Amino acid sequence: MTATAADVGATYFDAWKRGDFDTLRSILADDVTFDGPLGHASNADECVDGLRRMSKIVTDIVVRKTFVDGPDVITWFELHTAGTAALPTVNWRHVRNGKITSIRVTFDPRPLSPPAARDGAGA
């Protein structure tokens, strides 16, 4: 039985929060794409590597709301990092045949930048 988009979407965040990258990899299509303010990935291994790197600075992920529309799952959450206040973030996953085929993320990355970049210096 193929998992629903809602199930796969929930597994994504649960696995990421626990640092369970094997489970995370298991719900990604081999050719999944990821696009967000901090990078692009064009396959599952690149995607997992990026999430693994991001996890090094993430202290918590607080899901506020999840919306499911057919194969699309959109989650509004707060991304907590060691050096910033919570970053309001949106993550849109498209699920096909029980696997995530694309991930789009948006948030304001400026708080993660060095102070000079946040102030516009050197731009």
Side-chain angles (χ1 to χ4, degrees):
M1 182 173 146
T2 302
T4 67
D7 293 339
V8 174
T11 298
Y12 174 92
F13 274 96
D14 181 57
W16 185 22
K17 284 179 75 165
R18 289 184 295 109
D20 183 352
F21 296 103
D22 291 335
T23 295
L24 192 56
R25 173 61 178 89
S26 75
I27 61 167
L28 299 176
D30 290 339
D31 61 348
V32 65
T33 57
F34 173 93
D35 283 295
L38 300 179
H40 171 81
S42 54
N43 63 57
D45 293 331
E46 288 177 6
C47 186
V48 170
D49 287 345
L51 288 169
R52 193 183 307 266
R53 284 191 309 275
M54 187 71 174
S55 290
K56 292 178 182 177
I57 65 165
V58 172
T59 58
D60 199 8
I61 298 167
V62 179
V63 172
R64 294 296 180 192
K65 188 70 175 173
T66 298
F67 303 90
V68 179
D69 182 18
D72 295 304
V73 182
I74 298 175
T75 301
W76 176 270
F77 67 102
E78 294 172 351
L79 183 67
H80 294 259
T81 70
T84 66
L87 300 169
T89 306
V90 176
N91 177 300
W92 174 14
R93 281 117 35 235
H94 183 79
V95 178
R96 188 175 337 133
N97 298 324
K99 300 277 188 173
I100 297 172
T101 60
S102 67
I103 305 166
R104 302 294 177 262
V105 174
T106 189
F107 65 90
D108 180 357
R110 290 176 295 180
L112 297 172
S113 302
R118 285 194 303 262
D119 298 336

